[in-house]
Amino acid sequence: MDNSTLGWLGDDNTSLQLELQSCTLLRHQVSRIFLYAFLSVGIICTVVGNFLVVLSIAYFKQLQSPTNCFVMSLAVADCLVGLVVMPYSMIRTVEGCWYFGSLFCRIHSSLDVMLCTASIFHLSCIAFDRYYAVCNPLVYSLKMSHRRVALLIAVCWLVPILISFGPIMLDLHVAGVDMVIPKDLCVFLVSRIYAVMASLVAFYLPMAIMLVAYWKIFKAAKRQARQISAMESQMAAGVGKDSSKKKRHRNAMKRERKAAKTLGIIMGVFLIFWMPFFTVNIVDPFIEYSTEVVLWDLFLWLGYINSSLNPFLYGLFNRSFRRAFLIVGTVGNKQLDVLANLCELLCP
């Protein structure tokens, strides 16, 4: 929050008391039009991309695996971010004002926290699922039964609801912080306790799960690449030993680079787009809410962009998804049932 909007009412020995000034339209008309156009493109990409993921998994039985159950639920959360959160955040960012009342401000903030947290939780579940699929394939079907997958998806939705709607609607997120907020502003300021606890649950804990899971997956992929290389060497024994050894080494290195690249992109995008927001979210209450509003908006929209990229990271990396996207994008709804059966035969 920009310091220029704060008027101090209390002393250092009492709970923080501040009054926010009414909003003012500071942006030039041209910059507002540009921001509306730019952010609208992001919203459309978020909704369309995630809707394609949901539609593809729903229609094509070949895509209905335990992992893709998480991907589909993730796409639902990200699609809702684009439908019910981003449009109102866009208006607030561009106009600098809130036109929808204080009650809807709370509801919007609750939906924002809930859906973004649900999206992050699903990412950690996907990492957990892939860990068992790669590192413990023999027990994967037992560990990732339909019942357990349903339970994990329920947790991905219930926990975000508990840390969002409950505290925000009951004003527990501002316990110890007294403030007067005009009706034309929607400012999400939180207490130190809520900032730390919510950030730990919503981001840092899932981040730790993802880091550990993907590191173990990378090590397993590296080990499997070497084992495959060793098998290839045995099959090629006695025939062109030197060239076979070089080719085997190149194949192993290629597999390792591909695994490292894929996991690096997934983890790197997640950290780049969410780490700034949650870092500032924790730090801001301890520096008396002095973070510039421009930084808040920038880091918040970086997080939203992650919801736009998830369909590409978790969908387009899969060959079957790419084929399903192509089919869905080029035919009408009446042809989908026929092509769903066809895809089962064509998609390996």
Side-chain angles (χ1 to χ4, degrees), residues 285-296:
F286 292 92
I287 58 174
E288 298 179 342
Y289 307 97
S290 59
T291 304
E292 295 288 339
V293 68
V294 175
L295 284 179
W296 269 117

Side-chain angles (χ1 to χ4, degrees), residues 39-145:
L39 297 179
S40 295
V41 170
I43 293 173
I44 293 172
C45 290
T46 302
V47 174
V48 173
N50 286 287
F51 180 74
L52 282 176
V53 172
V54 174
L55 192 62
S56 299
I57 297 175
Y59 270 96
F60 300 115
K61 293 182 179 179
Q62 191 267 345
L63 295 176
Q64 294 172 5
S65 64
T67 299
N68 287 342
C69 289
F70 293 118
V71 174
M72 184 176 183
S73 188
L74 167 68
V76 171
D78 287 334
C79 189
L80 289 175
V81 170
L83 283 174
V84 303
V85 174
M86 292 173 69
Y88 299 100
S89 295
M90 175 182 65
I91 296 173
R92 180 181 60 190
T93 296
V94 176
E95 300 292 338
C97 298
W98 183 257
Y99 303 118
F100 310 104
S102 58
L103 176 60
F104 190 72
C105 174
R106 288 186 181 184
I107 296 175
H108 177 266
S109 297
S110 300
L111 288 170
D112 193 343
V113 174
M114 184 198 79
L115 293 173
C116 290
T117 302
S119 176
I120 294 172
F121 271 39
H122 281 91
L123 298 182
S124 64
C125 281
I126 291 172
F128 182 73
D129 173 84
R130 290 182 176 180
Y131 162 74
Y132 270 109
V134 175
C135 301
N136 297 283
L138 297 179
V139 298
Y140 174 74
S141 58
L142 178 64
K143 293 292 184 179
M144 285 298 165
S145 62

Side-chain angles (χ1 to χ4, degrees), residues 221-241:
K222 191 174 182 179
R223 183 173 62 253
Q224 290 172 5
R226 291 175 179 174
Q227 291 173 349
I228 294 173
S229 180
M231 293 174 61
E232 290 175 347
S233 67
Q234 293 177 0
M235 295 175 63
V239 180
K241 291 183 179 180

Side-chain angles (χ1 to χ4, degrees), residues 25-47:
L25 297 178
L26 300 177
R27 300 187 191 278
H28 191 271
Q29 183 69 18
V30 175
S31 64
R32 289 168 64 196
I33 294 175
F34 172 79
L35 283 174
Y36 272 125
F38 179 75
L39 297 179
S40 295
V41 170
I43 293 173
I44 293 172
C45 290
T46 302
V47 174

